[in-house]
Amino acid sequence: MTVLFIGGAYQGKAALARERYPELPLVQGLHLQVRQVLEAGGDPSALLPGLLGKVVACDELGCGVVPVDPFEDRWREETGRLCCALAAQADAVYRVWAGIPQRIK
């Protein structure tokens, strides 16, 4: 089973993931992993196979002003693309606001 939790920073994604899916490994901070891959010159889509079968928590980065810095803009876009690809394969997707989960898939 693959599950994705998305939402703003410090909204309780990881706690909810642990509570609802304690039997699955938890990957926290997917957005930070994407950044590390980009900084190393890699392709973030290569992370996708390693995320399957896990619960993944990722901060939403696309709800604010578009960054002026090209790297920051690319990080935001690549994180969004990876989340879309993961959501397409996930068994469940939750958006978390103020600790309240909303199942969107």
Side-chain angles (χ1 to χ4, degrees):
M1 173 171 255
T2 302
V3 183
L4 175 61
F5 281 82
I6 58 171
Y10 310 106
Q11 297 294 309
K13 298 178 295 294
L16 284 164
R18 282 189 201 100
E19 177 183 306
R20 291 186 178 219
Y21 299 96
E23 71 283 359
L24 294 175
L26 174 62
V27 175
Q28 293 186 66
L30 178 60
H31 60 290
L32 299 175
Q33 290 182 27
V34 170
R35 185 178 190 95
Q36 290 174 344
V37 169
L38 287 172
E39 287 172 340
D43 179 6
S45 66
L47 294 171
L48 184 60
L51 300 172
L52 301 177
K54 298 176 181 169
V55 178
V56 180
C58 184
D59 284 4
E60 286 186 299
L61 304 176
C63 294
V65 176
V66 176
V68 175
D69 180 272
F71 178 82
E72 297 293 322
D73 188 40
R74 181 165 179 230
W75 173 44
R76 182 175 110 144
E77 289 182 22
E78 293 291 343
T79 299
R81 287 188 184 111
L82 181 57
C83 282
C84 287
L86 182 57
Q89 295 191 41
D91 299 289
V93 179
Y94 294 87
R95 181 177 228 173
V96 181
W97 295 95
I100 300 171
Q102 178 183 24
R103 187 171 179 156
I104 57 177
K105 179 181 178 184

